[in-house]
Amino acid sequence: MRASDPSSKIFYKGKSDDFIVFVDDLNTLQKWKTDSTVPLADVVNGWKIFVTHRHGAQGVLDGASRASLENEFGTYNDEECMRKILEKGDYQAYSQRDREGDTNPSNGPGGLMR
């Protein structure tokens, strides 16, 4: 994924932590919610559940541990947890910021000090 490509995610505010699953797009997600024949793999963008350590939808993302999934959802089965997040979470679309060049121009050209 390029830095300027739009991304979509599902944010789930849990009792003990906040969870995020990335999805391909809203249309596929909505189709999955109404049509049980749509494979879950077609909905998610990468088969991973992230936690933000109670820092909301913009927090630093870490992979969710089995313990955090078990505490929140009663299971650490990633497919069951993803289903719950996709069904009860909030859809959010955003564009990632383009990568910037030199962040400290006071160091001179190429970041070398004179």
Side-chain angles (χ1 to χ4, degrees):
M1 174 183 328
R2 292 171 35 116
S4 61
D5 286 347
S7 296
S8 303
K9 63 184 173 184
I10 303 298
F11 172 73
Y12 178 91
K13 184 159 188 64
K15 294 174 279 186
S16 60
D17 215 331
D18 299 333
F19 298 86
I20 290 179
V21 171
F22 289 95
V23 295
D24 284 327
D25 61 72
L26 181 58
N27 292 335
T28 308
L29 175 65
Q30 289 175 334
K31 185 175 179 185
W32 173 82
K33 285 183 175 184
T34 60
D35 181 358
S36 62
T37 63
V38 175
L40 188 57
D42 290 352
V43 179
V44 297
N45 186 340
W47 195 264
K48 189 148 178 108
I49 300 172
F50 296 94
V51 293
T52 65
H53 306 291
R54 304 292 297 171
H55 289 198
Q58 304 304 319
V60 174
L61 301 180
D62 288 324
S65 68
R66 284 183 164 196
S68 65
L69 294 175
E70 181 77 39
N71 288 339
E72 186 65 41
F73 302 107
T75 181
Y76 60 83
N77 178 296
D78 58 348
E79 184 172 342
E80 289 181 42
C81 295
M82 277 190 193
R83 287 183 185 279
K84 290 178 182 181
I85 292 168
L86 293 173
E87 290 168 355
K88 297 178 181 178
D90 297 320
Y91 175 83
Q92 298 178 349
Y94 66 96
S95 290
Q96 294 181 343
R97 205 171 61 185
D98 284 332
R99 292 182 180 234
E100 297 176 5
D102 189 0
T103 58
N104 190 352
S106 65
N107 284 343
L112 299 175
M113 296 186 71
R114 294 177 197 219

